[in-house]
Structure formats: C-alpha cells, structure tokens
Amino acid sequence: MERKDFEAWLDNISVTFLSLTDLQKNESLDHLISLSGAIQLRHLSNNLETLLKRDFLKLLPLELSFYLLKWLDPQTLLTCCLVSKQWNKVISACMEVWQTACRKLGWQIDDSVQDALHWKKVYLKAILRMKQLEDHKAFETSSLIGHSARVYALYYKDGLLCTGSDDLSAKLWDVSTGQCIYGIQTHTCAAVKFDEQKLVTGSFDNTVACWEWSSGTKTQHFRGHTGAVFSVDYNDELDILVSGSADFTVKVWALSTGVCLNTLTGHTEWVTKVVLQKCKVKSLMHSPGDYILLSADKYEIKIWPIGREINCKCLKTLTVSEDRSISLQPRLHFDGKYIVCSSAIGLYQWDFASYDIHR
C-alpha cells in the first residue's frame, strides 16, 4: 500500500475507532493483537512500558521532587534508593530529608555542613548503631581482672580507665590491652579522677585524698565532710578541688594545701555528682571564660560561680519536676554550653545561656 493511501486508511480507521465504546475498543485491540507477529508484539511491549509507567522523579523539576520526598519516612526513602541509580541520586541529594531524619533521632544538626550525602551517612550509621544496641552487638566487651572486692568507682580518659574498689586499692588500666599500669593502696573509693601524675579519690570514710602514681604515696588529705564523698573534680590552673558528699554539702578545697576554702549548702539530698568546667557562653549571670561548678543530688542541679569562694551564692537551681516525681541519676555532663543529665525516664539537656530545657 502506498504511503498516501496508508495515511488515508489510518485516518479513517482512527475516526471509526474513536467512535467505538470502550468494550468495542478493547475487542478491536484484542483482534489486532491476535493478528500480530513477533515484531509487532515486541514493538507493543516496548512502547506500553513508556506509556503506562512514568518516572515522575526523573520528569519533575528537582525542587518538586524534594518537596514530594519530604512526605516519606526514612525507611521508605532507603527502599526508593534501590529503584534506580537516578532515584538514588535524587534522594541522596535531598539534604532537608536527611537532616530531618537525623533530627528525629535526636541528632544535633550543624547547619554549616551543607552536604546531603554527609547527613545520609550520619543517619545510616546511627540506624546501624541502634540496631547493634538492640542486638547487644554494639560494643566488644572484656574483663579487667585484679580487684578482690566490689568496684565502686570508674573514670575513663584517653584510653585509660581508673577503678576504685572496696579492697582499699585503685588501679589504672590500659583499655586496649587490658593490662594494669599502676596499682595503689588507698582507702575505700567511692569516686576517682586522675591525670598523668596524680590520682584523686573520694571515699566512704568521708575524706578526699590525692595520690602520686609513680610512688603510690598520699600527697594530700582533705578532711571535713561528715558523710561519704561520692564525687570529686579538680582544676590545676585554679588550684581547686571540689567534692560532693552524703552530708548534703559541696566543699571547695585548695588542691595544693588541702585547706577548705568554702562549704556550699542548699542541697537536701546526697550530692552525688560535681563537675568543674569553664563556661563558653554569655548570660546575665556569667561570661565566657568563667569557671562554673555544677552539683547534683537526686532531684536538683545547682550552679555555682567558682572564683568567688567567699560569699559564694548559687546562681541557679535546675529541676525536671516541681513535685520531685522524677529523680535524677549521677550522670551529669557539662561542656560549657549545654548541661546534660540522665533521669529515671530519659535524658535532659539544658541551654546554659538561658537555663531553659533545650530538649
């Protein structure tokens, strides 16, 4: 059939086909398919996929694709990444999606990192670690054998772990090898902290002591508490040591002489944690560079200005429940910007500039 005659025939057939009902159109197509050979069927198969399946993620502008992706949960997005290389490229480039996913896991988002792939990797690592935690496979465990009684005190720093025990000794361990580097005969330790030269211990005998690693000798003894000392911290630059006790007080000592500079009162429970740290933010009550002391009991965290030992007054008292229905645990961290403490129901984070609960 000539091209001109074919086009006229095709136009006539098209007009007739459009006038048919849907059922008649289907029957017509079925009849044509039954008359088709392999070449026609292959042609039909190739074109049907293009007509029926549209890759909207590929066809849409990138901004619209990102807007649609924001409605999907992270696990669905990860499944979508497996559809094709193009889908994986578009989804991995949507920074807001992955930042939101990280934020929902409790991650602190650094807006200076404008790299979507970075945040996707952060999310994947976090999900993997959470799965490992659930399966009890997140960490390798080993036992450090050496104490002959209960171990009450632990302090970790730079690959070294200090342990204080009921057997009247403290030991320093290399965590990577499990070897004991130093062993010192002490009192019963309830708290320990160390550096390269010395070890400071708080004891159930109501005292604090400072020991020299190399010789094992006691270089200073701090007497004054009337209850067990549960926590100690110190700063060589200030020549100050602080201690929290079961007598409801915090004492500030001269580290080099052992003289008590001040006794801070106001707690109504055992003081189980003290932290001495330099402030990094400004507020009405402190400036960057000021040294701050945090002391915590079962229900409250008190903030004190170190450096004003005479007439030192509590700057602020932080609580998580006015009726004391939620108790704090002796897990307190302060980096100069944020205070983090664990409780019976979870973690609390305060903004140190405003003293507001951040999350």
Side-chain angles (χ1 to χ4, degrees):
M1 183 182 290
E2 295 291 332
R3 181 67 189 178
K4 185 177 180 181
D5 295 334
F6 171 74
E7 289 178 353
W9 174 82
L10 191 60
D11 288 340
N12 184 49
I13 288 293
S14 299
V15 171
T16 305
F17 184 79
L18 291 172
S19 67
L20 299 176
T21 65
D22 286 337
L23 182 61
Q24 290 171 334
K25 288 178 180 178
N26 291 342
E27 289 181 3
S28 300
L29 290 173
D30 289 341
H31 182 67
L32 288 173
I33 291 171
S34 67
L35 297 176
S36 299
I39 295 175
Q40 289 74 45
L41 291 175
R42 189 180 301 110
H43 175 77
L44 186 63
S45 175
N46 292 337
N47 283 276
L48 275 176
E49 184 174 3
T50 305
L51 292 170
L52 296 177
K53 298 179 182 179
R54 301 245 173 178
D55 189 341
F56 69 91
L57 213 56
K58 187 175 181 180
L59 297 174
L60 284 175
L62 202 57
E63 293 79 6
L64 283 177
S65 297
F66 287 169
Y67 178 78
L68 290 175
L69 292 172
K70 288 192 294 186
W71 294 94
L72 299 178
D73 63 271
Q75 287 302 317
T76 302
L77 287 170
L78 290 175
T79 303
C80 290
C81 286
L82 302 176
V83 172
S84 67
K85 289 183 178 179
Q86 178 65 24
W87 277 45
N88 182 50
K89 182 179 179 180
V90 172
I91 294 170
S92 298
C94 188
M95 186 170 66
E96 189 176 350
V97 162
W98 299 111
Q99 282 188 335
T100 301
C102 291
R103 195 176 285 112
K104 287 181 179 178
L105 291 178
W107 216 268
Q108 187 73 32
I109 301 301
D110 182 357
D111 292 325
S112 65
V113 182
Q114 298 291 308
D115 181 4
L117 196 57
H118 165 80
W119 293 112
K120 181 184 178 184
K121 289 178 179 178
V122 167
Y123 175 78
L124 290 173
K125 286 181 180 179
I127 289 296
L128 175 62
R129 181 51 54 91
M130 290 172 70
K131 180 67 168 62
Q132 290 173 332
L133 286 169
E134 290 175 1
D135 296 340
H136 306 288
K137 297 177 180 178
F139 307 101
E140 294 181 5
T141 59
S142 60
S143 298
L144 304 177
I145 308 299
H147 286 293
S148 58
R150 290 173 294 185
V151 175
Y152 282 114
L154 298 171
Y155 184 78
Y156 175 82
K157 179 183 177 183
D158 300 332
L160 299 174
L161 177 69
C162 183
T163 58
S165 172
D166 220 5
D167 62 6
L168 306 182
S169 75
K171 296 182 184 295
L172 188 66
W173 309 81
D174 184 327
V175 172
S176 61
T177 63
Q179 297 298 310
C180 180
I181 301 172
Y182 287 115
I184 296 178
Q185 288 300 117
T186 63
H187 44 195
T188 302
C189 298
V192 291
K193 186 174 181 179
F194 70 92
D195 56 37
E196 290 79 5
Q197 284 79 38
K198 64 182 176 296
L199 164 70
V200 174
T201 59
S203 175
F204 290 104
D205 67 9
N206 307 346
T207 70
V208 179
C210 184
W211 315 79
E212 189 178 71
W213 281 121
S214 57
S215 63
T217 57
K218 185 193 299 180
T219 58
Q220 201 56 258
H221 209 175
F222 306 82
R223 301 177 185 271
H225 281 296
T226 57
V229 179
F230 292 124
S231 182
V232 293
D233 201 356
Y234 63 87
N235 183 283
D236 288 312
E237 180 185 345
L238 295 176
D239 190 32
I240 280 179
L241 181 144
V242 292
S243 56
S245 170
D247 62 11
F248 303 169
T249 70
V250 176
K251 288 188 179 292
V252 182
W253 314 81
L255 182 59
S256 58
T257 65
V259 174
C260 182
L261 302 176
N262 203 354
T263 299
L264 309 180
T265 60
H267 284 283
T268 57
E269 300 284 340
W270 292 357
V271 181
T272 54
K273 190 68 177 179
V274 290
V275 175
L276 184 59
Q277 179 62 267
K278 187 180 288 187
C279 175
K280 297 179 182 178
V281 292
K282 181 178 178 58
S283 79
L284 293 174
M285 298 183 181
H286 44 71
S287 302
D290 290 350
Y291 277 94
I292 299 294
L293 167 63
L294 270 61
S295 58
D297 62 30
K298 190 176 180 181
Y299 301 110
E300 297 178 340
I301 300 171
K302 291 187 178 293
I303 300 169
W304 312 85
I306 288 297
R308 298 193 288 257
E309 279 68 49
I310 300 174
N311 298 323
C312 178
K313 294 182 179 180
C314 179
L315 296 176
K316 186 73 174 179
T317 298
L318 306 178
T319 60
V320 294
S321 59
E322 294 297 330
D323 60 355
R324 297 195 165 194
S325 59
I326 302 173
S327 60
L328 298 175
Q329 298 171 347
R331 309 285 188 274
L332 180 65
H333 177 74
F334 176 47
D335 66 355
K337 293 182 179 180
Y338 298 101
I339 300 170
V340 179
C341 189
S342 63
S343 75
I345 62 171
L347 293 174
Y348 287 86
Q349 182 185 38
W350 286 267
D351 186 321
F352 192 60
S354 64
Y355 297 137
D356 293 330
I357 289 183
H358 188 61
R359 54 178 171 167

